Amino acid sequence: MIKGIAITAVWVLDQDRAKEFYTDKLGLEVRTDMTMGGDKGMRWLTVGAQDQPEVELTLMVPGPPGMDAESGEALRKLVSKGILGAGVLSTDDVQRDYETLKAKGVEFLQEPQERPYGTEAILRDDSGNWFSLTQPGERLDLDKDRGECVDPM
């Protein structure tokens, strides 16, 4: 059976620049940085949160050898336009992290705002991907019949 997600890809335009952004600005740690298949092979670069060793982001450049050059170019255009949302980064203090990251030069598309699921800010990485930076609120359940969130109490 599937036990969870171990690695997921984040498409980036430049792996060196992305490595610096994800480690120096976001505070993630490098887990793997190696070239597979010799000098001209694929670079396998993963990062993750120190307190979550079982989950990694692999910072991948679109194109060969994983996909054809035409598809890689199309994906690079989507990434650079800021079309792709890469996921949710969780925090226990979104306001603190918003201020810290903003001071480090991280671009925010949205300052912290209350949502039904918690407090959320939207940031963009150095390639154009956007992430939700979320401080979870109290657990709400979705009333599927009405299509709205309801308090489980």
Side-chain angles (χ1 to χ4, degrees):
M1 284 305 282
I2 296 172
K3 295 186 181 214
I5 295 175
I7 300 174
T8 190
V10 175
W11 299 105
V12 299
L13 303 177
D14 178 287
Q15 285 177 306
D16 289 326
R17 202 176 72 214
K19 179 181 177 180
E20 181 179 328
F21 178 86
Y22 282 85
T23 58
D24 293 350
K25 292 192 177 182
L26 297 187
L28 302 180
E29 63 184 12
V30 173
R31 301 277 176 76
T32 307
D33 189 354
M34 61 183 255
T35 302
M36 299 188 313
D39 291 341
K40 296 187 182 193
M42 181 182 80
R43 183 176 180 190
W44 184 254
L45 173 60
T46 68
V47 296
Q50 183 177 14
D51 293 338
Q52 195 177 27
E54 70 280 3
V55 178
E56 298 179 57
L57 302 176
T58 181
L59 306 176
M60 300 290 294
V61 175
M67 67 180 65
D68 63 85
E70 182 181 349
S71 297
E73 182 57 31
L75 187 51
R76 276 190 294 281
K77 285 181 183 177
L78 291 173
V79 169
S80 64
K81 287 172 87 173
I83 301 297
L84 302 178
V88 177
L89 304 172
S90 64
T91 178
D92 58 359
D93 189 337
V94 71
Q95 189 65 43
R96 174 200 64 212
D97 291 348
Y98 168 77
E99 297 296 338
T100 299
L101 295 173
K102 194 169 181 180
K104 290 182 176 183
V106 174
E107 176 188 2
F108 278 86
L109 304 175
Q110 173 195 291
E111 62 186 36
Q113 295 183 9
E114 294 298 319
R115 302 283 185 225
Y117 45 83
T119 308
E120 172 187 62
I122 306 292
L123 66 91
R124 188 173 290 190
D125 75 5
D126 66 307
S127 292
N129 298 298
W130 60 268
F131 286 87
S132 167
L133 176 64
T134 301
Q135 178 182 337
E138 290 186 34
R139 171 109 164 66
L140 297 176
D141 290 324
L142 181 64
D143 181 332
K144 291 181 176 85
D145 294 331
R146 295 185 299 181
E148 59 189 39
C149 290
V150 295
D151 189 332
M153 301 295 170

